[in-house]
């Protein structure tokens, strides 16, 4: 059995609590800052209601899951309580439309982290203590400190580009590169980081990288210096929803389907990344293949989803190798 937070084994010598919760004690402390895994105050009825809501809203893109804001109350028996304002933690439970989305998101984020991309803190957590009722949980990164947190300004690319939220699918990655050049405090590093994220997104089928899934975040509270934020909301959409033929949410070199290696090369040059640097990043991405396949193999996804992810990654890696 592996930890629902760090994926490392929970050994036979682990405490009973660690085995019941599926979390290392050290992971609980790091993720929540508590001694015990917080209980989640959310009823079965509320979960069903939320699942129905997302169906009624016609949310067909898997990435548009219902997000639940939770507030952490610390103490002897820490609790996570449902609140109606943006707060410390975000929970994404199972959905009616797609199976195992929380597990899929966890795997995609695990792959991003393994490839060296900075991610927001993320984990899986059991609801109502049920082994098979897993939700994805993430901690917000725009606050520093626990009791009286200071806020870090965080702005997504929709806001930075002066667009409405509903226009998050309008735009291009060339435009995103301009946003980074204009607002980032370290545009060179962030541009190559952004390029690498696109490569990794492509190979894992994270096709929902729209303007609201990219953000800049303040380096320190009040510094007014911004850098590309850690990644969030990564999901192997192309494996979950193979009918959707889009490789990307926004365009690259004027297209978002049938992306080839050459498109990545042309794109790099157009946003001011040297061809040599781009080639090294493509190689770096390709070198993750074995690791990604082993992560998928070791994941807790059901067999059909597991092979969908594995086949997708193999295909995309082949595309990127340009053979
Ligand atoms: Zn752990």
């Amino acid at each position: 059995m592996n930890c629902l937070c760090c994926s490392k084994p929970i050994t036979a010598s682990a405490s009973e609590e660690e085995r019941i919760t599926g979390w290392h004690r050290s992971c609980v402390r790091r993720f929540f800052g508590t001694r015990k895994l917080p209980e989640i105050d959310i009823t079965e009825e509320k979960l069903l209601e939320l699942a129905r809501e997302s169906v009624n809203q016609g949310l067909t893109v898997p990435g548009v899951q219902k997000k639940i804001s939770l507030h952490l109350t610390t103490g002897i028996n820490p609790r996570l309580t449902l609140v109606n304002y943006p707060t410390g933690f975000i929970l994404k439970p199972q959905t009616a439309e797609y199976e195992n989305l929380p597990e899929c998101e966890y795997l995609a984020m695990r792959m991003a982290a393994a490839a060296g991309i900075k991610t927001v803190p993320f984990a899986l957590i059991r609801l109502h203590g049920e082994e098979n009722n897993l939700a994805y949980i993430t901690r917000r990164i725009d606050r520093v400190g626990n009791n009286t947190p200071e806020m870090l300004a965080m702005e997504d690319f929709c806001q930075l580009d002066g667009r409405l939220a509903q226009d998050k699918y309008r735009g291009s990655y060339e435009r995103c590169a301009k946003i980074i050049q204009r607002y980032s405090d370290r545009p060179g590093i962030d541009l190559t980081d952004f390029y690498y994220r696109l490569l990794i997104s492509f190979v894992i089928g994270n096709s929902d990288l729209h303007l609201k899934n990219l953000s800049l975040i303040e380096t320190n509270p009040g510094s007014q210096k911004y850098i590309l934020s850690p990644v969030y909301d990564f999901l192997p959409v192309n494996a979950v929803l193979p009918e959707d033929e889009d490789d990307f949410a926004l365009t690259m070199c004027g297209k978002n389907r049938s992306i080839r290696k050459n498109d990545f090369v042309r794109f790099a040059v157009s946003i001011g990344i040297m061809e040599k640097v781009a080639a090294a990043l493509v190689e770096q991405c390709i070198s993750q293949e074995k690791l990604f396949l082993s992560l998928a193999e070791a994941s807790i996804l059901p067999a059909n989803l597991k092979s969908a992810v594995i086949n997708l990654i193999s295909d995309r890696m082949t595309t990127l190798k340009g053979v």
Side-chain angles (χ1 to χ4, degrees):
M1 172 176 157
N2 292 327
C3 174
L4 294 173
C5 183
C6 71
S7 282
K8 296 195 180 103
I10 291 184
T11 58
S13 63
S15 69
E16 194 189 348
E17 192 174 332
E18 288 177 309
R19 275 181 279 127
I20 291 172
T21 58
W23 278 65
H24 289 122
R25 207 182 143 102
S26 54
C27 287
V28 171
R29 207 174 306 129
R30 200 181 59 246
F31 197 91
F32 294 106
T34 55
R35 292 163 62 91
K36 264 174 77 177
L37 188 70
E39 268 189 49
I40 300 180
D41 256 342
I42 186 162
T43 62
E44 204 67 56
E45 292 74 46
K46 188 71 199 172
L47 281 173
L48 282 172
E49 187 189 315
L50 290 166
R52 271 197 301 273
E53 255 175 49
S54 56
V55 171
N56 288 342
Q57 285 170 18
L59 304 177
T60 49
V61 180
V64 197
Q65 282 152 282
K66 197 77 194 170
K67 292 177 186 176
I68 301 170
S69 290
L70 295 173
H71 176 72
L72 176 65
T73 314
T74 53
I76 295 171
N77 288 311
R79 304 192 80 77
L80 286 161
T81 324
L82 196 65
V83 284
N84 285 323
Y85 50 88
T87 175
F89 295 86
I90 296 162
L91 189 81
K92 298 186 198 173
Q94 300 287 334
T95 66
E97 249 177 324
Y98 299 97
E99 53 168 0
N100 304 97
L101 273 194
E103 292 90 336
C104 286
E105 181 161 1
Y106 179 83
L107 175 61
M109 293 292 284
R110 178 66 54 221
M111 286 174 177
I117 297 173
K118 206 164 187 297
T119 68
V120 297
F122 66 95
L124 292 170
I125 192 164
R126 288 178 185 147
L127 296 182
H128 315 299
E130 296 163 13
E131 207 167 316
N132 295 320
N133 191 359
L134 291 170
Y136 176 87
I137 188 163
T138 173
R139 194 174 74 227
R140 290 182 61 121
I141 49 164
D142 55 354
R143 45 208 71 202
V144 184
N146 259 339
N147 294 331
T148 46
E150 282 187 275
M151 298 291 289
L152 291 173
M154 190 167 168
E155 291 196 50
D156 66 51
F157 282 27
C158 233
Q159 295 166 299
L160 291 168
D161 205 24
R163 287 176 187 269
L164 297 171
Q166 69 214 46
D167 292 333
K168 64 188 179 184
Y169 288 107
R170 290 197 182 172
S172 64
Y173 293 125
E174 285 84 354
R175 180 80 196 157
C176 294
K178 286 217 167 69
I179 292 172
I180 292 170
Q181 266 156 344
R182 181 163 176 196
Y183 297 109
S184 168
D185 195 51
R186 45 170 210 200
I189 293 172
D190 281 353
L191 261 191
T192 49
D193 194 358
F194 169 61
Y195 184 70
Y196 186 57
R197 290 176 186 200
L198 285 176
L199 286 164
I200 296 294
S201 291
F202 176 71
V203 295
I204 67 171
N206 174 41
S207 63
D208 202 33
L209 197 62
H210 53 65
L211 292 171
K212 290 195 81 62
N213 280 346
L214 289 160
S215 291
L216 293 184
I217 189 165
E218 226 174 3
T219 52
N220 287 298
S223 74
Q224 292 189 26
K225 286 183 177 171
Y226 291 86
I227 56 172
L228 200 56
S229 86
V231 305
Y232 51 91
D233 285 0
F234 264 35
L235 192 70
V237 179
N238 294 124
V240 176
L241 189 66
E243 309 88 279
D244 185 1
E245 289 171 20
D246 288 350
D247 297 337
F248 279 134
L250 306 177
T251 60
M252 170 190 280
C253 302
K255 61 185 196 176
N256 60 357
R257 281 185 183 192
S258 309
I259 300 286
R260 293 282 168 262
K261 181 179 188 173
N262 198 34
D263 296 312
F264 275 106
V265 177
R266 279 168 51 212
F267 173 68
V269 173
S270 76
I271 65 170
I273 294 178
M274 283 192 299
E275 220 173 311
K276 211 171 69 182
V277 175
L281 290 167
V282 170
E283 279 312 309
Q284 195 181 331
C285 178
I286 291 170
S287 73
Q288 311 297 325
E289 182 169 6
K290 259 194 175 160
L291 178 62
F292 283 2
L293 295 179
S294 68
L295 284 172
E297 197 54 64
S299 74
I300 50 173
L301 290 184
N304 60 329
L305 267 174
K306 204 182 264 190
S307 56
V309 171
I310 288 172
N311 291 338
L312 176 83
I313 291 174
S314 305
D315 286 354
R316 294 287 172 90
M317 287 289 187
T318 305
T319 301
L320 216 51
K321 289 170 195 164
V323 288

